[in-house]
Amino acid sequence: MRKIEILGPAGSKEGIYAALNAGADAVYVGTSRFGARAFAKNPSVEELEEALVYAHLRDKKIYLTVNTLLTDQEIQGQLYEMIAPLYEAGLDACIVQDPGVMSFLHRNFPEMDLHASTQMTLFSGEEANLYKNLGVTRYVPARELSIEEIKQARKQTDLEMEVFVHGALCYCYSGQCLMSEVIGGRSGNRGMCAQPCRLAFEGDKGRKNYLNTKDICTLLYIPELVEAGIDSFKIEGRMKRWEYSAYMSHLYRRYVDLYQEQGIEKFDDLRRDRQSILWQDYRNSQDLYNRGGFSKSYLFETDNRAIMDTNRTGHYGVRVASVIRADSHQAQFLVDETIHPQDVLEFRNEKGEKVYEFTSGSSYEKGETAVTRILPGCGVKKGQSLFRTKNNRLLDKIQKYEENASSKVTLKGTFKAVRGENISFALEGRGVCAACRGDVWQEAQKRPVSEKEVRDKLGAMGATEYDLSELSVDMEEGFIPLGMLKKIRRETLEAWEQKAAVRRVTGEKIPGKTKDIPKQTKTVISVSSLEQLQAAMKQEKEGLTYYHVKLEVLPVADWEKAASLLEGVPYMISFPPILRGQGKEIWEKDWRGHGSVWKENRPEYFVINSQAAWLYAKKEFADLKLITDEMMYETNGEAEEVYRRMGAEAHMVQVYGRIRVMKSAGPLNTRKLITPKRDSFVADTHRTYGYVSIYTKDPVWSEKRDDFVNLDFTFEQGNEVKEVIRRWNL
């Protein structure tokens, strides 16, 4: 039977042990540096070293999140010093977003696995294969993929596949979000996301949480996930309490095992019966934490609107009662779901807003009526709902479960004693065997040592973390001091630990490459329409200028005209940065039908704006120069070197234009977005290709420089294009 890994989140030292003891086969965790959750209660390096020993003795694993973008200084200095002791302690893998970090880690720590983070926005196994030579053994595909896309990706690579099955869902394609940095200077790609997607924005239809996604839960779809070929079921939640990590790890382990052991018929019986233990656990999961209920994630949702909850962020809780009468001092409610003592409850109005909160002092069963005091004028009215935001009995259950969870390492022992020979004791567990020899087994002068005494001394593991489940004793009548039995037990345990705990030796540090200073900067004028292209070409330019036609937004009907205008002029083209599913099929049909205009008047460069673009470059543009844009993050020399080895000759950065802060598969029924602090954004829906782009409302200028600098035009009119180019020349 194929072993499927349950991968639990750990935002703290407590979370590591809780998840591992609850059923997780592995946990992912960060330190205070270079992880995407910088504000989690991350363990220290020393605490991680201890946790690695604990995990490895139980045949479990720990993965370190190094999934942010790093500078040259951080890679050359801090990164190596942080990883080296963990590598020696047997760190199982690092989860990485930055190709430069991948390259550096693979070169300096070659025996450690690397996992390509979901923040790389990989849509296929073919895209993941691009990074095999950097030591990648596993990848986490973009969370927007459907189950059919997952199945297809599984066929395209022999890399392990890790998929998010539970927890929070970003509105934006992971790693493609700059909103937090633009609003408050807290970059999500530097581990400091302020979650602006949870804000109540002012839009075309009033103030709503337009970008707020529900948490996902796939407990009910475990058979489909298993049969899709997923290797690791990943639970999101490094910012949550250890109880969350423990409980969700326990549930997913439980139901994956149930399906694999008992088959689809048993699982379907549980799915059909809304009173089954499966549905009870599903409801308990909602009680523990949910945002607007659960969604089936993009894996199983056919209507992306079901992903969203525009009314409320944070923990939604579960509805437990309805108000049947209320006056200025008290409210009477009818109980729909059992309420326990110390449950935290809140009344909500028709908009889902909290009007009054209290802690239950008693237990109430379904069908009972109850009364609670309220503050005058708080707004509790007949017909409102009562929600539970803290299930005290569930938390007690999880805590007791954790206290009683077995953390013992199970071993088998073999003892042999023959007169005239040295006694021997061997321990075996998780495929590792260690043996030690003691003193000579002597003929007994008075009372021989009994088999019971031998078993008692060797099996007395006491307060240790070991449990001797079996002990084979082969002994002749004889004698040896009982203290010698304790000594050989201790020495054999130590020998087994040394073998079972993974240890490595760190080699001499191999320095990396720092980012080159561009010798000459060239200008790129990126256009979204025929009008912008015509205006740009009429405006005088200083120095060598390239035109960049964004086929993502240029209508197919204008391709021939644009190609004709660019005849004899240095230019480049780019494909839509999000190409998957039906959108990809539409694009490839248009390209087959109309793309010849770009082949007849060949561009000089093809712009790499996504991981998928590398594949198109190999297939369609083997003769063209390649250039990476600002979404192919190149924050260090190692990344620059990786991209050059992949064929890119240069990199370009945006120096003018609206910043694209998000690309999302989620629906958006507003054109404008204004934060409570009046930061303004504008949305553009690419309906053909099935995604939304969100830009800053106003264009910005930047002092950044690289091989190429980009004047990026989105919604500008022709006269605005001319004015920007004029200013740039000045």
Side-chain angles (χ1 to χ4, degrees), residues 691-709:
Y691 67 97
V692 173
S693 293
I694 299 176
Y695 299 89
T696 54
K697 180 177 179 291
D698 299 313
V700 298
W701 288 91
S702 170
E703 298 296 323
K704 294 179 180 177
R705 292 293 182 267
D706 214 305
D707 300 309
F708 289 76
V709 293

Side-chain angles (χ1 to χ4, degrees), residues 263-294:
I264 188 64
E265 290 186 7
K266 173 64 175 178
F267 205 95
D268 279 343
D269 287 343
L270 294 174
R271 286 198 280 205
R272 283 190 292 266
D273 181 6
R274 300 297 287 251
Q275 302 306 312
S276 71
I277 186 68
L278 172 61
W279 280 97
Q280 291 177 37
D281 285 334
Y282 180 87
R283 288 190 287 271
N284 282 341
S285 302
Q286 286 190 316
D287 236 334
L288 191 60
Y289 197 90
N290 78 89
R291 286 187 177 92
F294 285 143

Side-chain angles (χ1 to χ4, degrees), residues 34-36 67-70 97 119 174-178 180-181 186-193 631 633:
F34 312 140
N67 52 342
T68 55
L69 305 174
L70 273 62
Q97 172 192 10
Q119 290 176 274
S174 301
Q176 304 288 297
C177 183
L178 302 174
S180 181
E181 182 176 9
R186 288 173 50 176
S187 171
N189 287 301
R190 295 284 288 169
M192 297 180 287
C193 181
M631 292 311 297
Y633 300 122

Side-chain angles (χ1 to χ4, degrees), residues 364-523:
Y364 304 100
E365 298 298 325
K366 183 178 180 179
E368 287 188 52
T369 59
V371 176
T372 185
R373 292 182 178 277
I374 58 175
L375 293 175
C378 67
V380 177
K381 299 177 182 178
K382 180 181 178 180
Q384 291 179 347
S385 295
L386 185 67
F387 281 76
R388 175 168 57 215
T389 58
K390 177 185 175 184
N391 186 328
N392 193 64
R393 181 169 294 180
L394 177 61
L395 290 174
D396 282 346
K397 175 184 175 183
I398 296 171
Q399 288 171 352
K400 289 177 182 176
Y401 166 80
E402 166 62 13
E403 291 168 4
N404 298 328
S406 175
S407 61
K408 296 279 188 179
V409 180
T410 301
L411 299 173
K412 296 179 180 179
T414 303
F415 177 78
K416 187 174 182 179
V418 178
R419 285 194 300 272
E421 297 181 9
N422 297 87
I423 64 171
S424 66
F425 183 49
L427 288 171
E428 184 178 1
R430 48 164 299 229
V432 176
C433 185
C436 288
R437 299 176 72 84
D439 291 349
V440 174
W441 187 253
Q442 304 169 6
E443 186 173 345
Q445 298 299 313
K446 295 182 180 179
R447 185 181 66 85
V449 174
S450 69
E451 182 176 330
K452 183 179 182 304
E453 289 175 309
V454 170
R455 290 185 176 277
D456 287 346
K457 292 298 179 185
L458 295 179
M461 299 295 180
T464 70
E465 52 192 344
Y466 301 99
D467 178 34
L468 196 62
S469 62
E470 295 182 26
L471 177 58
S472 174
V473 177
D474 180 11
M475 56 182 284
E476 297 178 353
E477 188 176 275
F479 175 79
I480 195 170
L482 296 179
M484 177 55 63
L485 294 175
K486 294 171 62 177
K487 180 173 181 290
I488 197 173
R489 183 194 68 206
R490 185 182 65 253
E491 291 175 348
T492 308
L493 270 175
E494 290 174 353
W496 186 88
E497 284 181 343
Q498 288 296 316
K499 282 190 170 183
V502 180
R503 293 282 185 266
R504 302 192 185 100
V505 177
T506 305
E508 186 177 349
K509 180 181 177 182
I510 305 172
K513 180 178 174 58
T514 57
K515 193 166 172 58
D516 293 333
I517 299 172
K519 297 180 178 63
Q520 181 184 5
T521 295
K522 306 177 186 67
T523 302

Side-chain angles (χ1 to χ4, degrees), residues 1-4 154 225-233 260:
M1 183 170 62
R2 183 168 67 96
K3 176 69 173 177
I4 293 172
R154 175 70 282 169
L225 295 170
V226 171
E227 298 309 318
I230 298 167
D231 299 289
S232 177
F233 284 26
Q260 289 193 299

